[in-house]
Amino acid sequence: MTSISPAASLEDPFYYLANFRFVLGWVSERHADLLGEAERDFLATFEDLPRAAQALLVRMVMRKGEHFRLARLVYAEIGDTAAALSPLIDAGWVEPDPGLTLDDLFRQLRLPELRRALADEIAAAGLPAATGKAALYEALAPRLGDGRRLAAWWPEAPDRIVRLAVMETCDRLRLMFFGNLRQDWAEFVLAELGVQRFERVAFTPESRAFQCREEVDAYLALHRLRERLEAGDSFESLRTELPAVNGDNGWLAGRRARLLLQLGVVAERAGERERALALYAEAGPGEPRIRRLRLLERMGEHACAHQLAERAAREALGEQEYQALERLRPRLRRRLGLPPVASVPEPVTERWALALPGPVASVELAVRDHLSSASSPVHYVENTLLTGLFGLLCWEAVFAPLPGAFFHPFHGGPADLHREDFVARRRALFDTCLGRLDDGSYREAIRHTWGEKQGIVSPFVHWGVLTEALLEQALAAIPTPDLRACFERLLADLKANRAGLPDLIQFLPEADAAGRRYRLIEVKGPGDRLQDNQRRWLAFFHARGIPAVVCHVRWQDTE
């Protein structure tokens, strides 16, 4: 079992090459069985390249896109760009004279260069000499749709454009290392600069995101489909290309379900209601099912919607879906002439009305400043205080090195944080952490973690907000039962319940009968209203007697 910090020193001019080689070594050692012929050839060939060629390749991989102008590939530590490029061309990793679409040309050339390169086409289109880049592209795109080499676009071009041909392979290797394509090579630099610090977690040979090559293929396919959807491809063509996912891989199945939901939303907006219903149904429970019910309701399919809603209500639901069903079911029953179902009325939270000078940029800060005093200070905490205390107390459970939770040194939290079995897999660890609430040791445990882990990235602790002074005030003012209740609610649905907490906390000089010396304040500016997750938290506070109010603000200057 190992725990490492891999970032190379930035004093080394080839730091980026050292970091890239670290990733290749990590993937080669831990993912050898997932590598195909292309990746194995890449690893072997890379080792045999001269250092300058290796470095130039990595420089290109780390930049955006696949096309590069030679004049922009100049690096002091590499030296002669053409000499470093030659082995990459020989290996087939760089195309020396690729075909360029008009999009490629516009990305690579500056506006004055485009005006020279496309002078004849601009004149034939009757465009003014001062036409801007966007307008120029819009006018020429219908006329110049074919790809051409740079010499055909611009025979007098003073520069060359090359294309990196192994970006797909490098993306696959990066994916196997990080377990996602959101993170990239900048993680190494940020870690070395100290901008981000990550918890050091022990790794085992089983610590990896993918267990078979088919899972890597499925992830990449889903990623490309999402990119195409964002680029405007039709949902019909994308649906037919959705890869199958092994049901044993819950997080990959979740990614597929989220893409199905996105496709359903696009189909619904396009007026393809039947297609949208099918996509929502395939996406499963939760938000897709609620969207399906609402669409059926709008279509007048009340009987079908009612049948689906009643079946859903008998299942084990999260709070979010339950809340939505509680609104849908009474409407559907009324429209079908059925007897109403008993419903629990939403509790009435205490309301304040406040008139302040304004408008100002932040209504929350305006209320904080208005209410705060030396004896009753107010802090703007929103979703950071209670979640921060939870994260500090349960640090050991959150960062436990379970299989599938951590598989590279740059995790800001466990990879399975939002999976259904996250808490179940760590239930004993969470019980131990929360047990400190019962024996009274939790305050010291929280203080110790706050000091020892200061600045380390956590999904729950926001260090810039959770100062030592705020921490001490909270530990003194919030009774143990309130903390336990809030922490247990967080654990019930970490994804949904980390948001929706009140904006402000006010610490009070006198305690109530339950020992509370605080109140939570949700701020609503003119025209603003409570969101569903805020309503759920307020109902929770009401049920447990936790003091919370909603402060409605109007501006004096607009009366």
Side-chain angles (χ1 to χ4, degrees), residues 367-369 371-373 376-380 504-507 521:
V367 173
R368 179 200 66 183
D369 295 343
L371 296 177
S372 190
S373 67
S376 300
V378 180
H379 298 267
Y380 179 34
L504 310 177
I505 186 169
Q506 184 173 34
F507 296 112
I521 305 170

Side-chain angles (χ1 to χ4, degrees), residues 219-405:
Y219 185 105
L220 286 167
L222 291 170
H223 180 78
R224 304 306 179 205
L225 290 173
R226 184 171 289 105
E227 287 184 327
R228 288 169 54 191
L229 178 63
E230 293 172 355
D233 276 18
S234 70
F235 66 87
E236 296 100 331
S237 62
L238 298 179
R239 170 64 189 90
T240 61
E241 297 179 41
L242 268 178
V245 171
N246 187 335
D248 293 336
N249 190 319
W251 71 273
L252 205 52
R255 291 186 67 85
R256 186 178 189 275
R258 288 193 295 277
L259 182 54
L260 281 166
L261 171 61
Q262 290 177 288
L263 292 172
V265 171
V266 172
E268 184 177 350
R269 289 173 179 168
E272 297 285 346
R273 291 180 163 185
E274 294 298 333
R275 297 279 184 89
L277 288 173
L279 289 162
Y280 291 150
E282 188 176 354
E287 183 182 352
R289 180 159 56 189
I290 294 302
R291 284 186 174 272
R292 183 182 171 201
L293 283 166
R294 288 171 177 161
L295 180 53
L296 285 169
E297 184 182 23
R298 286 194 294 274
M299 294 169 63
E301 300 287 347
H302 299 134
C304 181
H306 174 258
Q307 184 179 22
L308 176 61
E310 293 301 308
R311 186 166 64 247
R314 293 191 291 270
E315 298 178 5
L317 306 173
E319 288 185 8
Q320 193 170 3
E321 189 173 7
Y322 176 82
Q323 183 182 40
L325 281 172
E326 284 295 286
R327 293 171 180 161
L328 275 163
R329 292 174 66 207
R331 292 203 307 267
L332 293 171
R333 295 184 71 87
R334 282 198 306 272
R335 285 170 176 146
L336 293 170
L338 298 173
V341 292
S343 60
V344 179
E346 184 175 339
V348 178
T349 301
E350 182 181 354
R351 257 59 171 176
W352 291 354
L354 196 59
L356 296 177
V360 297
S362 173
V363 64
E364 295 87 2
L365 296 182
V367 173
R368 179 200 66 183
D369 295 343
H370 178 80
L371 296 177
S372 190
S373 67
S375 61
S376 300
V378 180
H379 298 267
Y380 179 34
V381 295
E382 200 172 9
N383 299 313
T384 61
L385 178 56
L386 289 171
T387 55
L389 295 173
F390 167 83
L392 292 172
L393 181 63
C394 298
W395 191 281
E396 296 171 12
V398 171
F399 286 96
L402 274 61

Side-chain angles (χ1 to χ4, degrees), residues 104-323:
D104 297 330
L105 194 71
F106 267 69
R107 278 193 289 267
Q108 295 301 316
L109 301 187
R110 298 183 296 273
L111 180 57
E113 294 173 321
L114 287 167
R115 286 172 175 163
R116 293 199 296 273
L118 304 174
D120 293 342
E121 288 83 357
I122 292 171
L127 298 172
T131 302
K133 198 169 185 178
L136 193 64
Y137 176 85
E138 186 176 351
L140 295 181
R143 305 163 60 95
L144 303 172
D146 297 333
R148 311 175 192 177
R149 299 184 187 279
L150 180 61
W153 284 113
W154 189 11
E156 298 81 19
D159 198 2
R160 289 172 56 194
I161 295 177
V162 298
R163 175 183 171 270
L164 183 63
V166 289
M167 186 63 87
E168 185 174 330
T169 297
C170 292
D171 279 346
R172 179 179 282 268
L173 294 170
R174 175 165 64 94
L175 172 61
M176 282 189 276
F177 178 77
F178 285 112
N180 63 73
L181 288 174
R182 181 187 71 258
Q183 291 177 285
D184 60 23
W185 314 104
E187 299 286 354
F188 289 86
V189 177
L190 294 173
E192 176 62 17
L193 289 172
V195 175
Q196 291 183 328
R197 293 175 53 221
F198 298 93
E199 179 68 301
R200 294 194 176 191
V201 179
F203 301 103
T204 67
E206 294 76 32
S207 299
R208 61 185 197 175
F210 305 100
Q211 302 307 314
C212 63
R213 186 174 177 84
E214 289 73 22
E215 292 180 349
V216 183
D217 293 338
Y219 185 105
L220 286 167
L222 291 170
H223 180 78
R224 304 306 179 205
L225 290 173
R226 184 171 289 105
E227 287 184 327
R228 288 169 54 191
L229 178 63
E230 293 172 355
D233 276 18
S234 70
F235 66 87
E236 296 100 331
S237 62
L238 298 179
R239 170 64 189 90
T240 61
E241 297 179 41
L242 268 178
V245 171
N246 187 335
D248 293 336
N249 190 319
W251 71 273
L252 205 52
R255 291 186 67 85
R256 186 178 189 275
R258 288 193 295 277
L259 182 54
L260 281 166
L261 171 61
Q262 290 177 288
L263 292 172
V265 171
V266 172
E268 184 177 350
R269 289 173 179 168
E272 297 285 346
R273 291 180 163 185
E274 294 298 333
R275 297 279 184 89
L277 288 173
L279 289 162
Y280 291 150
E282 188 176 354
E287 183 182 352
R289 180 159 56 189
I290 294 302
R291 284 186 174 272
R292 183 182 171 201
L293 283 166
R294 288 171 177 161
L295 180 53
L296 285 169
E297 184 182 23
R298 286 194 294 274
M299 294 169 63
E301 300 287 347
H302 299 134
C304 181
H306 174 258
Q307 184 179 22
L308 176 61
E310 293 301 308
R311 186 166 64 247
R314 293 191 291 270
E315 298 178 5
L317 306 173
E319 288 185 8
Q320 193 170 3
E321 189 173 7
Y322 176 82
Q323 183 182 40

Side-chain angles (χ1 to χ4, degrees), residues 2-150:
T2 59
S3 177
I4 55 177
S5 180
S9 169
L10 298 181
E11 294 180 1
D12 177 1
F14 289 95
Y15 69 90
Y16 55 91
L17 177 57
N19 292 336
F20 189 81
R21 292 175 65 89
F22 175 87
V23 170
L24 297 188
W26 181 284
V27 171
S28 180
E29 177 185 349
R30 296 167 182 265
H31 302 79
D33 57 317
L34 307 188
L35 299 175
E37 184 177 355
E39 296 88 61
R40 288 193 292 269
D41 288 348
F42 179 91
L43 293 170
T45 302
F46 186 86
E47 283 299 314
D48 294 335
L49 290 174
R51 185 170 72 162
Q54 291 180 345
L56 183 60
L57 176 78
V58 177
R59 284 289 196 183
M60 297 169 76
V61 168
M62 293 175 67
R63 287 173 57 172
K64 185 177 181 180
E66 296 183 346
H67 292 87
F68 303 92
R69 293 178 61 161
L70 254 59
R72 297 175 184 169
L73 291 177
V74 177
Y75 302 97
E77 77 280 4
I78 293 175
D80 187 339
T81 301
L85 195 63
S86 181
L88 302 178
I89 294 173
D90 293 342
W93 290 3
V94 171
E95 291 184 53
D97 189 20
L100 302 172
T101 65
L102 191 67
D103 284 0
D104 297 330
L105 194 71
F106 267 69
R107 278 193 289 267
Q108 295 301 316
L109 301 187
R110 298 183 296 273
L111 180 57
E113 294 173 321
L114 287 167
R115 286 172 175 163
R116 293 199 296 273
L118 304 174
D120 293 342
E121 288 83 357
I122 292 171
L127 298 172
T131 302
K133 198 169 185 178
L136 193 64
Y137 176 85
E138 186 176 351
L140 295 181
R143 305 163 60 95
L144 303 172
D146 297 333
R148 311 175 192 177
R149 299 184 187 279
L150 180 61

